[in-house]
Amino acid sequence: MLSMLVLLPIIAGIVLGLAPIKKAPVAAAIGIFVSLVTLGIGLAILAGFQADSAQLQLTERFSWIASLGIDYHLAVDGLSIWLVVLTGLLSAIAVGYGALNITSDLKRFMACVLMLEGAILGSFLSLDLVLFFTFFELTLLPMWVMITTWGGPNRAKAAVKFVAFTFGGSVFMLIGIFALAYLHFNTTGRWSFDVIDIQGTVANGTLWAKFPEAQSWIFWFFAVAFLVKAPCFPLHGWISDTYAESPIVGPILSSAMVKLGSYGLLRFCLPLFPEAVKANASLLAGLAVVGIVYGAMIAAVQKDIRRLLAYSTVSHMGFVLLGIFSLTHIGMVGGALQQISHGVGAALLFLLVGYLIKRKGTADLREFGGLKASLPILSTMFLIGMLGSVGLPGLNGFVGEFLSLLGAFQAGYIHVVVAAFGVVVAAVYLLYMFQQVFYGPSREEGAAVKDLRAPEFVLAGILLALVVIGGLQPNLFTKQTEASLGAVRGMVLEEVNRRPVYGKFPAPKPKPTMQVVG
């Protein structure tokens, strides 16, 4: 089932891109059908998922390059299950938006979206480092094509910056992957790039006992790649131009793609480099706090709505990283939940911004004003989405941020107070954006702009419903993740030979005190 989930959109995207289809409605129908089937498979996996277990589920594994110990290895657990569903949902939303708004070469556009979806899904499900790296790098090509083909006037510069940052970070990870496999070979006498195999040698103490000085170096080779993707200060330089110059579908899909950074830290860095993680957790939490405040303050002075939301992503992903590197149970649950909350909330705001840009022909805040009267439905949806992003209690942005801050406080990080200041700044710039767009004097000339059409309302309404549900019932999104997060935390904090091992035994069941009420 996992192979079908990953390969269906990739193969469909390749076939669609090469097929001699000239009619846009046919390409749109194929893209919508494939994306909905993929989402359906993801939901079916979620429905059958064993929420109380940290064990890997639906495992598919066979030898790929036997001489080097490289396997085709897919599995799902609590770290990846909601990210899989999020990717399927946002891809379906992106396909629907493209079908309504892309007027040039829709066939190639649909092919790019489907291939990007499959590459992201493959990254979330791969447990072989070479296979993961293959999917991780495959995300670059369709994103680059989308930016250069349907992007803004400075799309070439944005595409180069996007590739330079993300590929540059990946080079470090590739070095780390082969270094880790080499050390595993020297420890066990056999080559393996499989996370389960390598983590087993880490858990029993044999790998790093033999090469203690190498752990910190290889950890940073991995961490740099994931921090670029996250995007974490100061490695966030690609995101502003990318979001501003790509078609609006780019940021919508990036709401899932940037989670490859935080996911990679949880899946690879924490289990494989426990001593290095403990030694650098405070530093990384500090960078997360800087990102929270820096992103919020830079967002507050932006005049382009897309750049404002890009820096908002830097700020909100800072809460994800802060929760992860608190290394507390409650903080890690908050960071994992914030991944999903931000993915949904940011996608909603970018979708609505896309509708606004379509109606006004610009993303410049100074060209907006007084649109509430003409766009009552859109303005109401935007208000709820914006309040969710601010972290209003009762909406999905609140719980993850609160738990991340609480976990950082439990960890003794005094800079958690500074991180809380970022929440205040976020409220300022998001409320200012809403006021600038929907209130004040109207800048309309002639007939007023039209409100959302039914298809537009449906796409935004799905995300809006999740913003509300995530705030009122956050346990729907945390119960599948807690066991796996507990296992990963144990892989870092437990003593050698007491650490959980992938595939051997489940992590301790989550504590009942973690029942969260929105």
Side-chain angles (χ1 to χ4, degrees), residues 295-319:
M297 295 183 70
I298 298 300
V301 298
Q302 296 302 309
K303 301 304 180 185
D304 186 298
I305 306 179
R306 296 164 301 184
R307 292 185 186 274
L308 183 152
L309 293 179
Y311 285 108
S312 176
T313 293
V314 175
S315 182
H316 284 95
M317 286 299 294
F319 285 100

Side-chain angles (χ1 to χ4, degrees), residues 344-345 348 384-385 388 394-397 462-472:
V344 171
L348 173 61
I384 298 172
L395 298 175
N396 69 342
I462 294 170
L463 295 172
L464 185 68
L466 291 174
V467 168
V468 176
I469 293 170
L472 298 178

Side-chain angles (χ1 to χ4, degrees), residues 373-412:
S374 301
L375 305 173
I377 298 176
L378 194 155
S379 62
T380 301
M381 287 186 156
F382 204 102
L383 175 63
I384 298 172
M386 180 269 297
L387 292 175
S389 186
V390 167
L392 182 73
L395 298 175
N396 69 342
F398 169 73
V399 179
E401 289 185 0
F402 177 76
L403 295 181
S404 294
L405 290 171
L406 184 58
F409 178 78
Q410 289 183 350

Side-chain angles (χ1 to χ4, degrees), residues 9-307:
I10 292 178
I11 294 173
I14 294 173
V15 172
L16 182 59
L18 297 176
I21 298 174
K22 297 183 178 180
K23 294 183 178 180
V26 175
I30 293 173
I32 292 171
F33 175 77
V34 173
S35 65
L36 289 178
V37 171
T38 304
L39 175 59
I41 297 172
L43 291 174
I45 293 172
L46 175 64
F49 187 79
Q50 298 178 17
D52 295 332
S53 173
Q55 293 285 12
L56 299 166
Q57 301 176 36
L58 300 178
T59 299
E60 300 177 14
R61 183 176 184 179
F62 60 84
S63 180
W64 181 14
I65 306 175
S67 60
L68 294 178
I70 300 174
D71 293 340
Y72 175 88
H73 190 182
L74 303 179
V76 65
D77 67 354
L79 300 184
S80 55
I81 181 62
W82 275 112
L83 295 172
V84 166
V85 176
L86 175 69
T87 302
L89 174 64
L90 297 188
S91 298
I93 296 290
V95 166
Y97 180 90
L100 294 172
N101 296 280
I102 298 297
T103 58
S104 64
D105 204 355
L106 183 61
K107 182 191 75 167
R108 187 154 63 118
F109 175 85
M110 291 295 176
C112 287
V113 172
L114 293 176
M115 290 180 65
L116 180 57
E117 177 184 18
I120 296 173
L121 289 170
S123 300
F124 286 139
L125 297 172
S126 296
L127 290 177
D128 182 276
L129 289 169
V130 173
L131 184 64
F132 171 81
F133 183 82
T134 301
F135 284 121
F136 191 79
E137 290 305 289
L138 186 58
T139 62
L140 300 185
L141 179 59
M143 191 69 181
W144 178 81
V145 173
M146 282 196 288
I147 297 172
T148 55
T149 304
W150 296 280
N154 296 315
R155 56 185 179 270
K157 175 185 174 183
V160 169
K161 184 177 288 189
F162 169 73
V163 172
F165 268 84
T166 52
F167 183 73
S170 298
V171 170
F172 284 96
M173 181 168 63
L174 184 62
I175 295 171
I177 286 172
F178 281 99
L180 192 60
Y182 177 76
L183 296 185
H184 181 272
F185 172 78
N186 274 270
T187 301
T188 64
R190 61 184 180 86
W191 288 97
S192 179
F193 291 83
D194 193 85
V195 173
I196 292 179
D197 294 342
I198 298 173
Q199 193 268 328
T201 63
V202 172
N204 63 29
T206 58
L207 181 65
W208 298 124
K210 192 173 182 180
F211 305 99
E213 70 285 349
Q215 183 175 171
S216 181
W217 286 100
I218 301 177
F219 163 76
W220 279 109
F221 283 147
F222 276 80
V224 165
F226 296 136
L227 293 174
V228 168
K229 207 80 165 186
C232 176
F233 177 90
L235 302 174
H236 65 286
W238 61 272
I239 193 169
S240 177
D241 285 344
T242 299
Y243 279 24
E245 298 300 329
S246 65
I248 209 68
V249 167
I252 292 173
L253 289 171
S254 286
S255 296
M257 188 173 67
V258 297
K259 306 308 181 293
L260 289 173
S262 52
Y263 168 81
L265 294 169
L266 286 168
R267 173 66 75 202
F268 303 109
C269 287
L270 270 66
L272 301 182
F273 312 101
E275 284 75 27
V277 168
K278 287 185 286 188
N280 293 285
S282 180
L283 169 62
L284 289 164
L287 289 177
V289 171
V290 173
I292 290 169
V293 177
Y294 170 83
M297 295 183 70
I298 298 300
V301 298
Q302 296 302 309
K303 301 304 180 185
D304 186 298
I305 306 179
R306 296 164 301 184
R307 292 185 186 274

Side-chain angles (χ1 to χ4, degrees), residues 356-379:
L356 287 171
I357 294 173
K358 179 183 177 182
R359 285 157 171 77
K360 292 287 293 182
T362 180
D364 191 334
L365 275 171
R366 293 166 293 189
E367 298 298 321
F368 288 87
L371 290 178
K372 183 178 180 295
S374 301
L375 305 173
I377 298 176
L378 194 155
S379 62

